[in-house]
Amino acid sequence: MGRAFEYRKATKMKRWGHMAKTFTRLGKQIAIAVKAGGPEPETNPTLRSIIATCKRENMPKDNIERAIKNALGKDQSDYKEVTYEGYGPHGIAVFVDTLTDNTTRTVADVRSVFNKFSGNLGTTGSLSFLFDHKCVFTFKKKEDIDMDDLILELIDLNVDDEFDENYDEEKDETTISIYGDPKSYAQIQHFLEDKGFEDIGGEFTYIPNDLKDVDEEQRATIDKMIEKLEEFDDVQTVYTNMKPAED
């Protein structure tokens, strides 16, 4: 498995929390997509991709339809995507992705957690050199596809030459995850759809380019900080450059 996949697999549950929080996160993403491109997945590729991710996360169909309907309501708030970054305890870099309708409230909440754990909230972009910003597409593997050939075709769209394969015993299916330049998101999605891949779920992620070792006590403190950040509904994902614990 590649570095990106190993990191995501080891940290996913810590970053995304329990299922209910995942549905809240996806519901906000649906709201943004609907307001930007309309409620019809057939004509809104961003919404189509988010719905595929919802299905992969086992979000009920009724929840998806309700989120789309709510996004069309006149009284629905407009969410903004804001990323906060800084250093947590023991020099660990922390990125906090949020979707918020009140940036004053959100920055105060995030800063309070950094302060509580003797961290420092930095300015936007101050820690970007420590992470690679990537778009990630996950889709069902086709039996007749040669992944090396597919990746070769995708090189021109700035897709990494490394891909990850994961077999889900419960669903009895194999999925592929590929990583690319966020600026190529729409082109990559269009290419995969033209190739006939099903349920193409896309998202964005930050992958640390240099993992930092911590001892058990330090890890416990950092994990507690992450949990506190995840308690806020505005927080979507928390990324760190802490080396994942070994199984």
Short mmCIF file of all heavy atoms in Angstrom, two decimals, residues 81-86 94-100 102-108 110-111 114 121-124 127 234-235 237 239:
data_model
loop_
_atom_site.label_atom_id
_atom_site.label_comp_id
_atom_site.label_asym_id
_atom_site.label_seq_id
_atom_site.Cartn_x
_atom_site.Cartn_y
_atom_site.Cartn_z
N GLU A 81 -16.18 26.93 3.11
CA GLU A 81 -15.11 26.00 3.43
C GLU A 81 -13.90 26.79 3.93
O GLU A 81 -13.37 27.63 3.21
CB GLU A 81 -14.72 25.18 2.19
CG GLU A 81 -15.84 24.31 1.67
CD GLU A 81 -15.46 23.60 0.39
OE1 GLU A 81 -15.45 24.27 -0.67
OE2 GLU A 81 -15.17 22.39 0.44
N VAL A 82 -13.51 26.55 5.17
CA VAL A 82 -12.38 27.27 5.77
C VAL A 82 -11.44 26.24 6.42
O VAL A 82 -11.91 25.35 7.14
CB VAL A 82 -12.84 28.28 6.84
CG1 VAL A 82 -11.64 29.07 7.37
CG2 VAL A 82 -13.89 29.22 6.27
N THR A 83 -10.15 26.37 6.15
CA THR A 83 -9.16 25.48 6.76
C THR A 83 -8.30 26.27 7.74
O THR A 83 -7.79 27.36 7.41
CB THR A 83 -8.24 24.85 5.69
OG1 THR A 83 -9.04 24.06 4.81
CG2 THR A 83 -7.19 23.96 6.33
N TYR A 84 -8.17 25.74 8.96
CA TYR A 84 -7.32 26.36 9.98
C TYR A 84 -6.11 25.47 10.20
O TYR A 84 -6.20 24.24 10.11
CB TYR A 84 -8.10 26.53 11.29
CG TYR A 84 -9.34 27.39 11.13
CD1 TYR A 84 -10.59 26.82 10.94
CD2 TYR A 84 -9.25 28.78 11.15
CE1 TYR A 84 -11.73 27.60 10.77
CE2 TYR A 84 -10.38 29.58 10.99
CZ TYR A 84 -11.61 28.98 10.80
OH TYR A 84 -12.73 29.76 10.63
N GLU A 85 -4.98 26.08 10.48
CA GLU A 85 -3.76 25.30 10.65
C GLU A 85 -2.90 25.89 11.76
O GLU A 85 -2.92 27.09 12.03
CB GLU A 85 -2.98 25.25 9.34
CG GLU A 85 -2.71 26.60 8.71
CD GLU A 85 -2.31 26.49 7.25
OE1 GLU A 85 -1.11 26.25 6.99
OE2 GLU A 85 -3.20 26.67 6.38
N GLY A 86 -2.17 25.01 12.41
CA GLY A 86 -1.31 25.46 13.49
C GLY A 86 -0.57 24.28 14.10
O GLY A 86 -0.61 23.16 13.57
N VAL A 94 -1.18 20.56 12.71
CA VAL A 94 -2.60 20.20 12.68
C VAL A 94 -3.32 21.06 11.64
O VAL A 94 -3.22 22.28 11.64
CB VAL A 94 -3.26 20.42 14.06
CG1 VAL A 94 -4.74 20.00 14.01
CG2 VAL A 94 -2.53 19.64 15.15
N PHE A 95 -4.05 20.39 10.74
CA PHE A 95 -4.93 21.05 9.78
C PHE A 95 -6.37 20.73 10.17
O PHE A 95 -6.69 19.57 10.44
CB PHE A 95 -4.67 20.52 8.36
CG PHE A 95 -3.71 21.36 7.56
CD1 PHE A 95 -2.44 21.62 8.02
CD2 PHE A 95 -4.09 21.87 6.32
CE1 PHE A 95 -1.55 22.38 7.28
CE2 PHE A 95 -3.21 22.62 5.57
CZ PHE A 95 -1.93 22.88 6.05
N VAL A 96 -7.23 21.74 10.19
CA VAL A 96 -8.63 21.54 10.55
C VAL A 96 -9.51 22.06 9.41
O VAL A 96 -9.60 23.26 9.18
CB VAL A 96 -8.99 22.28 11.85
CG1 VAL A 96 -10.43 21.94 12.26
CG2 VAL A 96 -8.02 21.93 12.97
N ASP A 97 -10.15 21.14 8.68
CA ASP A 97 -11.08 21.51 7.62
C ASP A 97 -12.45 21.74 8.23
O ASP A 97 -12.95 20.91 9.00
CB ASP A 97 -11.18 20.39 6.58
CG ASP A 97 -10.17 20.57 5.46
OD1 ASP A 97 -9.55 21.64 5.38
OD2 ASP A 97 -10.01 19.62 4.66
N THR A 98 -13.09 22.86 7.88
CA THR A 98 -14.42 23.16 8.41
C THR A 98 -15.37 23.59 7.29
O THR A 98 -14.95 24.06 6.24
CB THR A 98 -14.37 24.31 9.45
OG1 THR A 98 -14.05 25.55 8.80
CG2 THR A 98 -13.32 24.02 10.52
N LEU A 99 -16.65 23.40 7.56
CA LEU A 99 -17.73 23.97 6.75
C LEU A 99 -18.57 24.77 7.72
O LEU A 99 -19.16 24.22 8.65
CB LEU A 99 -18.57 22.87 6.10
CG LEU A 99 -17.98 22.18 4.87
CD1 LEU A 99 -18.90 21.08 4.38
CD2 LEU A 99 -17.73 23.19 3.75
N THR A 100 -18.63 26.06 7.53
CA THR A 100 -19.25 26.91 8.55
C THR A 100 -20.13 28.00 7.94
O THR A 100 -19.87 28.48 6.83
CB THR A 100 -18.18 27.58 9.42
OG1 THR A 100 -18.80 28.45 10.37
CG2 THR A 100 -17.18 28.36 8.59
N ASN A 102 -20.70 30.53 10.08
CA ASN A 102 -20.34 31.61 11.00
C ASN A 102 -18.84 31.47 11.33
O ASN A 102 -18.47 30.78 12.27
CB ASN A 102 -21.18 31.52 12.27
CG ASN A 102 -20.97 32.69 13.21
OD1 ASN A 102 -19.87 33.24 13.29
ND2 ASN A 102 -22.00 33.06 13.94
N THR A 103 -18.00 32.13 10.55
CA THR A 103 -16.56 31.98 10.72
C THR A 103 -16.07 32.52 12.07
O THR A 103 -15.09 32.02 12.62
CB THR A 103 -15.79 32.69 9.59
OG1 THR A 103 -16.20 34.06 9.51
CG2 THR A 103 -16.06 32.01 8.26
N THR A 104 -16.77 33.55 12.59
CA THR A 104 -16.38 34.10 13.90
C THR A 104 -16.52 33.03 14.98
O THR A 104 -15.63 32.86 15.83
CB THR A 104 -17.24 35.32 14.25
OG1 THR A 104 -17.09 36.32 13.24
CG2 THR A 104 -16.83 35.89 15.60
N ARG A 105 -17.63 32.32 14.95
CA ARG A 105 -17.86 31.24 15.93
C ARG A 105 -16.84 30.11 15.74
O ARG A 105 -16.27 29.61 16.70
CB ARG A 105 -19.27 30.69 15.76
CG ARG A 105 -19.60 29.49 16.66
CD ARG A 105 -20.87 28.80 16.21
NE ARG A 105 -20.72 28.17 14.90
CZ ARG A 105 -21.62 28.23 13.93
NH1 ARG A 105 -22.75 28.89 14.10
NH2 ARG A 105 -21.41 27.63 12.77
N THR A 106 -16.63 29.73 14.49
CA THR A 106 -15.78 28.57 14.22
C THR A 106 -14.33 28.82 14.60
O THR A 106 -13.70 27.97 15.24
CB THR A 106 -15.86 28.19 12.73
OG1 THR A 106 -17.23 27.96 12.38
CG2 THR A 106 -15.06 26.92 12.45
N VAL A 107 -13.79 29.98 14.24
CA VAL A 107 -12.40 30.25 14.58
C VAL A 107 -12.22 30.35 16.09
O VAL A 107 -11.19 29.93 16.64
CB VAL A 107 -11.88 31.53 13.88
CG1 VAL A 107 -12.53 32.79 14.45
CG2 VAL A 107 -10.37 31.62 13.99
N ALA A 108 -13.24 30.86 16.79
CA ALA A 108 -13.16 30.95 18.26
C ALA A 108 -13.15 29.54 18.86
O ALA A 108 -12.39 29.26 19.80
CB ALA A 108 -14.34 31.75 18.80
N VAL A 110 -12.19 26.69 17.36
CA VAL A 110 -10.93 26.01 17.02
C VAL A 110 -9.78 26.57 17.85
O VAL A 110 -8.97 25.82 18.41
CB VAL A 110 -10.64 26.16 15.52
CG1 VAL A 110 -9.24 25.64 15.19
CG2 VAL A 110 -11.67 25.40 14.69
N ARG A 111 -9.71 27.90 17.98
CA ARG A 111 -8.64 28.51 18.75
C ARG A 111 -8.68 28.09 20.22
O ARG A 111 -7.65 27.88 20.86
CB ARG A 111 -8.70 30.03 18.64
CG ARG A 111 -7.58 30.73 19.43
CD ARG A 111 -7.59 32.23 19.27
NE ARG A 111 -7.11 32.64 17.96
CZ ARG A 111 -7.85 33.22 17.03
NH1 ARG A 111 -9.14 33.46 17.26
NH2 ARG A 111 -7.34 33.58 15.87
N PHE A 114 -6.94 24.76 20.53
CA PHE A 114 -5.48 24.92 20.40
C PHE A 114 -4.91 25.50 21.69
O PHE A 114 -3.87 25.03 22.18
CB PHE A 114 -5.15 25.82 19.21
CG PHE A 114 -5.02 25.11 17.90
CD1 PHE A 114 -6.14 24.77 17.15
CD2 PHE A 114 -3.78 24.75 17.39
CE1 PHE A 114 -6.04 24.11 15.95
CE2 PHE A 114 -3.65 24.08 16.19
CZ PHE A 114 -4.78 23.76 15.46
N LEU A 121 -2.45 28.56 16.90
CA LEU A 121 -3.15 28.63 15.62
C LEU A 121 -2.39 29.59 14.72
O LEU A 121 -2.14 30.74 15.09
CB LEU A 121 -4.58 29.12 15.84
CG LEU A 121 -5.57 28.92 14.69
CD1 LEU A 121 -5.70 27.45 14.34
CD2 LEU A 121 -6.93 29.50 15.08
N GLY A 122 -2.00 29.11 13.53
CA GLY A 122 -1.19 29.92 12.64
C GLY A 122 -2.03 30.59 11.56
O GLY A 122 -3.26 30.51 11.55
N THR A 123 -1.35 31.27 10.65
CA THR A 123 -2.03 31.92 9.53
C THR A 123 -2.22 30.93 8.39
O THR A 123 -1.50 29.93 8.28
CB THR A 123 -1.21 33.12 9.03
OG1 THR A 123 0.11 32.67 8.65
CG2 THR A 123 -1.09 34.19 10.11
N THR A 124 -3.18 31.22 7.53
CA THR A 124 -3.47 30.34 6.41
C THR A 124 -2.25 30.18 5.51
O THR A 124 -1.64 31.16 5.09
CB THR A 124 -4.64 30.89 5.58
OG1 THR A 124 -5.79 31.01 6.42
CG2 THR A 124 -4.96 29.98 4.41
N LEU A 127 1.58 26.33 7.20
CA LEU A 127 2.07 24.95 7.35
C LEU A 127 1.88 24.12 6.09
O LEU A 127 2.03 22.90 6.12
CB LEU A 127 1.36 24.26 8.52
CG LEU A 127 1.52 24.90 9.90
CD1 LEU A 127 0.85 24.03 10.96
CD2 LEU A 127 2.99 25.10 10.24
N ASP A 234 -19.04 22.15 13.05
CA ASP A 234 -18.42 22.80 11.89
C ASP A 234 -17.18 22.06 11.41
O ASP A 234 -16.79 22.19 10.24
CB ASP A 234 -18.01 24.24 12.24
CG ASP A 234 -19.21 25.13 12.52
OD1 ASP A 234 -20.32 24.78 12.07
OD2 ASP A 234 -19.04 26.17 13.18
N VAL A 235 -16.55 21.31 12.27
CA VAL A 235 -15.31 20.62 11.91
C VAL A 235 -15.62 19.40 11.06
O VAL A 235 -16.40 18.53 11.46
CB VAL A 235 -14.50 20.22 13.16
CG1 VAL A 235 -13.32 19.33 12.78
CG2 VAL A 235 -14.01 21.47 13.88
N THR A 237 -12.90 17.57 9.06
CA THR A 237 -11.79 16.63 9.10
C THR A 237 -10.60 17.27 9.79
O THR A 237 -10.35 18.46 9.61
CB THR A 237 -11.35 16.21 7.67
OG1 THR A 237 -12.49 15.92 6.88
CG2 THR A 237 -10.45 14.99 7.72
N TYR A 239 -6.47 16.76 10.27
CA TYR A 239 -5.27 16.08 9.78
C TYR A 239 -4.08 16.46 10.65
O TYR A 239 -3.96 17.61 11.10
CB TYR A 239 -4.94 16.49 8.35
CG TYR A 239 -6.06 16.32 7.36
CD1 TYR A 239 -6.96 17.36 7.10
CD2 TYR A 239 -6.23 15.13 6.66
CE1 TYR A 239 -7.99 17.21 6.20
CE2 TYR A 239 -7.26 14.97 5.74
CZ TYR A 239 -8.13 16.02 5.52
OH TYR A 239 -9.15 15.87 4.61
#
